[in-house]
Structure formats: C-alpha cells, structure tokens
Amino acid sequence: VTEQRFESKSTEETISLGRQIGAGLKAPVLLFLSGELGAGKTTLTKGIVSGAGATREEEITSPTFTLIHKYAGPEPAAGADSPSIYHIDLYRIEGAQDLATLGLDDIFDEKAIVIVEWPDRMNPPVGWPVIRIDLEHVAEEARAITVRSE
Ligand SMILES: Nc1ncnc2c1ncn2[C@@H]1O[C@H](COP(=O)(O)OP(=O)(O)OP(=O)(O)O)[C@@H](O)[C@H]1O
Ligand SMILES: [Mg+2]
C-alpha cells in the first residue's frame, strides 16, 4: 500500500493534480473518489480524464443526472489499445436493485479506467486494482487530498 497526501489551494491546483494522476494510469483500474458534497471529486476528475488523454477539460461535466459519462481513450498508437474512461456518480443510487440497473457489469467486462464518486454504494469487482482518493474540505479554497493504492 502506498499513501500520498497533497494539499490543494485552488480549483486549478486540484485539476493539475488530477492530470498527473491521469497520466500515470494503466487500465484496468478503478478510482474511488470520496468526500462530502463540493469537496472537489468532479473537479479532480476533470484533470484525471484529460491527463489520461481522453478529452478536453471543458467537456468533462458532472454525471449528476445521467449517472455515467463515457469518454473515448486517446487515439490509439499503432498496436496499442486505448481504454475507455467512465465517470460514474452513485450519489442518487439507493440499494442493490437500483445499482443493478446501471449496467456496471458490462463496463467491468472492458479493460477500462473507471472513476466513481460516492463509491460506498458499490463493491469493487474482483481483480480490479483500486486507487482510493479522499478529498477533504479544509477551507474555502483549500482541500486535503489523500491518494492510496493497494
Ligand atoms: N482547491 C479546490 N479543489 C477543488 N475544488 C475547489 C477548490 N477550491 C474551490 N473549489 C470549488 O469547489 C467546488 C467543487 O465542486 P465539485 O463538483 O468538484 O465537488 P464534488 O465533490 O464533485 O461534489 P458532489 O458530491 O456534489 O458531486 C467547485 O466549485 C470548485 O471550483
Ligand atoms: Mg461531483
């Protein structure tokens, strides 16, 4: 287990940390983002998705109503496969039955990068490495961000 703690003093700093995290990801991998409303989970995700090479930050929005957003991976280099990136928000999910309607099983059949807000609503699928990121609202624009990987 490795644990790293960061302090962010602005929205831009959090996006920038996300870009660094995203650039180092190798699919399949699950990222569990925890923290209260407004802690910065979606903000960090903007950086992660763009750092992984999928799309531009302004196109990355919260999947509050649709629950799942899918981004295509970076342009595949010759021979290399480029993983899809899923951004899932489980805040509105209530119970196992509700969760089952989301079709997560199909996503976990892929070799993808999967980012989940409010991950306490689900169990990680067997065999997927999980990176757990906790965001703590310290002050108006200050966040403590802890990144733990198994
Ligand atoms: N250092 C910071 N890091 C991240 N966001 C910050 C920071 N300082 C201020 N903010 C602001 O806090 C808000 C964070 O909102 P965001 O949607 O990312 O939170 P969230 O954790 O996804 O919330 P929710 O659970 O409602 O989805 C944004 O408006 C962002 O600009
Ligand atoms: Mg959010």
Side-chain angles (χ1 to χ4, degrees), residues 8-11 14 35-43 62 89 117-118 140-143:
S8 165
K9 293 189 180 63
S10 67
T11 300
T14 297
E36 62 194 62
L37 291 167
K41 302 178 292 297
T42 297
T43 302
S62 179
D89 189 340
E117 296 188 35
W118 300 98
E140 180 87 32
E141 291 206 82
R143 304 290 188 274

Side-chain angles (χ1 to χ4, degrees), residues 85-98:
I85 303 176
Y86 292 90
H87 179 199
I88 303 171
D89 189 340
L90 298 180
Y91 185 69
R92 285 158 191 276
I93 290 295
E94 286 168 27
Q97 221 174 341
D98 209 6

Side-chain angles (χ1 to χ4, degrees), residues 5 9 13 21 29 47 55 64 76 89 91 96 114 127 132 139 143-144 150:
R5 191 175 162 89
K9 293 189 180 63
E13 252 187 71
I21 293 169
V29 66
T55 192
T64 305
D89 189 340
Y91 185 69
V114 183
R132 289 189 162 77
R143 304 290 188 274
E150 287 155 1

